Amino acid sequence: MRQVLIIGYVWPEPCSSAAGSRMVELIELFRRQGWPVTFASAAALSEHRLDLASLDVPEVSIRLNCDSFDGFVAALQPDLVLFDRYFTEEQFAWRVERVCPEALRVLDTSDLHSLRDARQRSLKARQQICANERERQQVGAVLDDQATLYTQMAGSDVAQREIAAIYRSDLTLMISDYEMQMLQGPFAVPPALLHHCPLMLIPPRQQPLPFAQRAHFVSIGNFRHAPNWDSVLWLRHGLWPLIRQRLPRAELHVYGAYPPPKATALHAPALGFQVRGWASDAHEVMGAARVCLAPLRFGAGIKGKLADAMACGTPSVTTTIGSEGMAGALPWPGAVVADAHAFADAAVSLHEQPDAWARAQQAGYAILQTRFDREAHGMELVQRLLRLASEREGQRQANFVGAMLRHHAHKSTQYMSQWIAEKNRRTDS
């Protein structure tokens, strides 16, 4: 590839979210092939963003609904354009296709947003029938099967937009094999349009601390991500009181980028519940804890916090939502539970029993070796992209649904964007 253009929904923040880490993994993979990479985004520059210049990646600020983007892409002439999430594809793919029709258009979903949205709506529906906040925070994780999820997703605006973007793209990178199954099964998306590309993890720099040198529990996650905020609420009001009853001196350290005032208001040192906020080194705080708690009641994709826990040798307690797409048939490195009391039992057991803790740690290493091999997944993706480049026209011809969606959807998006651009020009003048 003579030039790769990545259009980011946000600027990469590898210390703030799994999505940020994944983006850096992809950039580094492309750079290792000798492919020049340019990163562009319409987002405001963020506090914790990575200095892309350190990776020899130029940064370009672009504007939504502005014809200046067309000139930028025409000058760059990328062979591959990677769209970070479906709404970025909606905004810019029609412009890329018009200016550089030969460029491969690849979508990275990060996670299947429509799946996360359906589970969040399911959780809210169950909570709405509760009499008070205490009861709402006792509701467990969403356990809907694929048939039920399809029913909830199929009529939603998010699912229709996201899956249309998948069809319009030459290839879509899926981080979770569960989501691959959802798309190829109930939604009947052709396998030729999808590529399973999980996190390509970089191991921590230091040897993990032993059981005796660790203390307390840890929970980590960007507070702006709705599933993470919900898990903090469940911890504070439903789960931590049960654990604290059994371990009166235990502490839970809650880390995450961008904590809002409502999160810091939960800080209660007397109860052992400590909201610490931003962690400059997630591996350091994860590696110092004895057990990671990730009580996710809804969500999608691969959970970076749980991958980090495995890499740091830290057993974890989570839900089926948290473990989804990660372990396959291998045993979980800790426990996967469905309700509050089972969660507390598993957390206390791992915290107090060195043998169980050591077995869980080894299970985590096995998952990383078997399912998250950095070199293997990286090479598979590179080979798929090179093969796609040589077979591009044939695949596009076979993807009639994608061509039809590009014709109709891009025309409406194009005309709306051009109307906004013209309106902005008149306002500026």
Side-chain angles (χ1 to χ4, degrees), residues 13-17 48 218-223 253-259 276-286:
E13 294 189 11
C15 294
S16 298
S17 68
H48 303 303
V218 67
S219 179
I220 190 166
N222 192 320
F223 283 95
H253 301 166
V254 181
Y255 291 91
Y258 306 107
R276 298 291 186 89
W278 165 257
S280 59
D281 189 333
H283 280 175
E284 181 179 348
V285 299
M286 184 67 76

Side-chain angles (χ1 to χ4, degrees), residues 178-289:
Y178 180 87
E179 294 173 5
M180 292 274 289
Q181 295 166 13
M182 279 288 300
L183 291 175
Q184 293 179 48
F187 287 99
V189 175
L193 298 180
L194 304 173
H195 182 79
H196 181 220
C197 182
L199 293 172
M200 295 173 285
L201 300 171
I202 302 173
R205 294 180 295 274
Q206 299 177 342
Q207 286 294 317
L209 291 175
F211 178 89
Q213 294 181 26
R214 298 182 184 228
H216 307 307
F217 298 87
V218 67
S219 179
I220 190 166
N222 192 320
F223 283 95
R224 289 180 177 174
H225 191 52
N228 291 338
W229 171 237
D230 177 75
S231 74
V232 171
L233 291 176
W234 195 20
L235 276 167
R236 177 65 179 84
H237 300 295
L239 301 173
W240 184 245
L242 297 175
I243 297 171
R244 182 77 170 182
Q245 283 177 1
R246 307 260 297 273
L247 300 173
R249 295 185 179 181
E251 297 176 7
L252 171 59
H253 301 166
V254 181
Y255 291 91
Y258 306 107
K262 62 183 180 181
T264 54
L266 298 176
H267 184 66
L271 301 176
F273 194 92
Q274 302 194 20
V275 180
R276 298 291 186 89
W278 165 257
S280 59
D281 189 333
H283 280 175
E284 181 179 348
V285 299
M286 184 67 76

Side-chain angles (χ1 to χ4, degrees), residues 303-325:
K303 313 308 179 293
K305 62 180 71 63
L306 293 171
D308 284 341
M310 295 181 209
C312 295
T314 306
S316 59
V317 184
T318 188
T319 62
T320 54
I321 301 293
S323 65
E324 184 177 275

